[in-house]
Amino acid sequence: MATRCRHVFRKLLPLFCLRTSNYVPYHEKAFLSYQRANILGKRYKHSNPWKGDGSTGEIEFEVGDCRPIKISYGKLARFADGSAVVQMGDTTVMATAVSKNYLSTAGFLPLTVDYRQKAAAAGRIPTNYLRRELGPTESEILSSRMIDRSIRPLFPPGYLYDTQIVCNPLAVDGIHDPDVMSINAASAALSLSDIPWSGPIGAVRVGFLNGEPIINPTRSELTESQLNLVVVGREHSHVVMLEASANDILVQDFRQALKTGIAECMKIVKNISEIQEQHGKVKRELQVPNDATTDISEAVCSLAQTKITEIFTDAEHDKFSRDNALFEVRRNVVNELKESFPDSPPQTLVQAFDKLSKETFRDLILDGNTRCDGRGMNDLRDISCQVDLYKPLHGSALFQRGQTQVLCTVTFDSLESAIKSDPISAITSGIKEKNFMLHYEFPPYATNETGRVGMGTAGRRELGHGVLAERALRPVIPDGFPHTIRVTSEVLESNGSSSMATVCGSSLALMDAGVDISAPVAGVAVGLVTRYSKENPEELDKYKLMTDLLGIEDYMGDMDFKMAGPKGCVTALQADVKIPGLPLKLVLEAVDQASEGKSDVLKIMNQTLSTSRFEPKENHPVTEKLLVRPEQRAKFVGLGGYNIKKLRAETGVTVTSLDENTFQIFAPNATAMDEAKAIVDELLEDRAPPLEHGAIYTVTIMEMKDNGLMVQIHPNMPLAFVHINQLDPRKVDHPSALDLKVGEDISVKYFGRDPITGKIRISRKVLYSTAAESIKNLNTRPKTLANNPWGSFKDTLDTRNN
């Protein structure tokens, strides 16, 4: 009876819930819908719970030279606040955006961007021992940073909600790079979501081929391109982010590519805006944390305005004295205002002081053309350079710019030390290995702090700065350099622009090491301070560009614009904008100002070292090529590479195979090379007599196989193989059918060596019509000369001559 009642109750429950307004979990809603359909006599069929809301669709448009881009939405990852899929060619990327609904305890925007390359998307299986994706690779970290720098400036001030953007390449065709597509996918996902964001943005990659810009080049086109520029822009042709590497492109060509790229970005922005207007969610209300009241701000201003101005106009201050003076003023102000505002937390008073400090610092630059260290807007800090610091190093340099100090070293090694890319990175980037690398290190003592040192992995910031400097120097490295080059840059002191100091110091260190670079390379950072119109917050009222940024100018300013390259050219560029976009005209002005500053830095560097050293140092490594005949290759390498491993253990040299017959020997110094040469010469010494083509020799059967015989022509020669087809004119199934035995002597004719493998080619079946007097026996040796192979060979010839 109880079971029957429960069954009836389950049948009637949906009828009572038809008009309920209480929350019901989704899985229960699906069950209730099914029951309602059965009770009301309707035919039930599976339906999409999101069907009918008009949130699913796609849009396709062209960018550049007929390169279609398709953006779809509302089909995948619908539980996320926003999701979008971008496709170009056969490469497809999905991006999702999720933001929490409660404030974070962090005092900044807690934004996380994760870009992961899936092996399955490229049709591969990971090659690690777990056969699955492990930690993020270098390319994934760099792509995540690029996406982060593109979307972060457009979040509203005071947005302190945990936000995560996940970019997931679904398919990679190896032709179109998914990183730029990920920026567009993240833009579409944020635009369609309810997350407050001042987008959309558009991103394109610009190449420069045959004197013309090319939009979104394929991977093959990019390898031939002189430029690899990623441009991110928003409405009104404002630039949000720039990232570039180039092969000594001229500044005027770079300006042309930048203009073309921002124009194509506007096409993407227009199409994403249309999607947002039709299908985007209503943005959630922004709850900004309580700021300081007007009374608190006025009290802080009256107490601290004059003191802050005195500190920022005192050019005698350095990094720490200025920070200490500001900290002392802030402590006194906060302590004094605690009595006047007992209900306000100390953090509110500190925020009011920091806001006043930032406004005062910016006003002094905008209205008074005054920088805190007394320099003009285009002036450089004092620069000093030193090279050849330590004799054991292959190359070294110390670059000092103001209070930024960088020690750069160069190390040479064999080609085997080159970085080998994993298969997935090789598919997406096209780079299989590289023999030039630059590693950037930023220890905590560089800013008078404590922390972990030498944990084996570089942080995202260190990795990004190192790659930027590596891109700046790679185009000047000579092609076919015989060594693998590793440049290490250790920041000893930091007060702004340590990445550009790394470029300058590394260029000097390479020249000190004797690397014949095509031209010296320098880098400089340009900062920006802006003021917008009070009547129109979107209109830029006033701005100032500053050459050679200080650390405090980077912190208080609106842009960090880094550019590096030889004189008149660009090899690397990175622009981080902290406000929602900059006019293109302002960015082009920054390019010109950075180019002038870079030229001034090169003049100072050339006073120390202007060209590479012609004479190598005493500890300079030595590289030579060794040509090994095909028949000697097995003897040189040894079983399982035994001889090469032994050579490395005894002398420290590294042997690298360039092709089947050519080896490269790398020695750390000339002495090690001499020792290795002596061992190699002894190893390859030809103690066997030369064989005459067409001659007949008497050989000894050493081993009998199913398909032939292993015979010995001479004791100092490797065993030769006689195939069963070359034993007798008749067809035989096994050598034993010819009554041949191990240790028996037979006659064979020599036909030279195989041109590919170097193996000896001999035959027995061709001898039945050959005169017996022409037969030579190289294995005959008197017992008295058994231990002297050259003596037994001479005795045999003397006996035959007599």
Side-chain angles (χ1 to χ4, degrees), residues 404-577:
T404 297
Q405 185 184 72
V406 177
L407 174 65
C408 299
T409 61
V410 174
T411 306
F412 297 131
D413 210 326
S414 66
L415 294 178
E416 284 189 350
S417 301
I419 296 179
K420 274 76 174 178
S421 300
D422 59 279
I424 310 305
S425 298
I427 290 174
T428 55
S429 65
I431 300 176
K432 296 183 179 180
E433 67 176 29
K434 60 179 183 179
N435 65 337
F436 171 72
M437 64 199 82
L438 190 148
H439 295 155
Y440 171 94
E441 300 176 4
F442 194 96
Y445 60 76
T447 53
N448 194 27
E449 297 176 356
T450 60
R452 297 185 298 178
V453 178
M455 298 304 293
T457 56
R460 289 195 172 195
R461 177 184 176 276
E462 291 179 318
L463 187 61
H465 282 32
V467 170
L468 176 62
E470 181 180 311
R471 289 172 178 171
L473 293 167
R474 180 179 297 278
V476 301
I477 302 297
D479 295 333
F481 194 74
H483 309 312
T484 295
I485 307 173
R486 180 182 185 239
V487 179
T488 58
S489 172
E490 185 169 0
V491 181
L492 306 182
E493 301 172 1
S494 178
N495 189 16
S497 190
S498 59
S499 61
M500 294 297 96
T502 294
V503 174
C504 301
S506 300
S507 177
L508 290 170
L510 287 168
M511 291 190 291
D512 179 60
V515 180
D516 188 19
I517 62 176
S518 58
V521 179
V524 70
V526 174
L528 173 70
V529 175
T530 60
R531 179 187 293 159
Y532 284 85
S533 173
K534 294 182 180 180
E535 292 77 13
N536 184 8
E538 295 292 332
E539 181 181 350
L540 192 62
D541 183 32
K542 197 173 185 180
Y543 67 91
K544 292 290 182 179
L545 290 170
M546 302 170 292
T547 302
D548 191 11
L549 275 180
L550 284 175
I552 190 172
E553 292 173 338
D554 184 11
Y555 177 73
M556 300 284 195
D558 297 327
M559 180 182 69
D560 184 7
F561 187 93
K562 308 183 185 75
M563 191 172 78
K567 184 178 180 180
C569 299
V570 178
T571 55
L573 183 143
Q574 186 179 92
D576 295 333
V577 181

Side-chain angles (χ1 to χ4, degrees), residues 55 329 614 674 729 761 776 790:
S55 60
V329 173
F614 294 103
D674 294 338
R761 298 186 298 187
K776 300 179 181 180
W790 292 103

Side-chain angles (χ1 to χ4, degrees), residues 29 130 151 195 198 213 220 591 599 622 684 704-705 783:
K29 288 182 180 179
L130 290 178
I151 64 176
I195 302 173
S198 303
S220 59
V591 171
S599 299
V622 182
L684 297 180
M704 190 175 297
K705 296 184 175 183
K783 294 183 179 180

Side-chain angles (χ1 to χ4, degrees), residues 93-104:
V93 178
M94 180 186 71
T96 59
V98 177
S99 184
K100 296 292 184 63
N101 292 317
Y102 51 86
L103 285 172
S104 171

Side-chain angles (χ1 to χ4, degrees), residues 150-226:
S150 301
I151 64 176
R152 183 180 291 271
L154 277 72
F155 282 92
Y159 190 79
L160 305 180
Y161 298 84
D162 284 309
T163 306
Q164 184 179 31
I165 309 297
V166 178
C167 297
N168 181 16
L170 303 179
V172 178
D173 58 7
I175 299 176
H176 302 89
D177 290 332
D179 51 357
V180 174
M181 299 168 56
S182 298
I183 300 177
N184 294 320
S187 172
L190 285 168
S191 299
L192 292 169
S193 71
D194 61 345
I195 302 173
W197 191 65
S198 303
I201 59 175
V204 296
R205 173 173 270 113
V206 185
F208 200 81
L209 195 61
N210 298 325
E212 295 292 335
I214 178 173
I215 302 299
N216 290 335
T218 63
R219 196 179 71 179
S220 59
E221 291 173 338
L222 198 59
T223 56
E224 301 176 359
S225 173
Q226 194 178 359

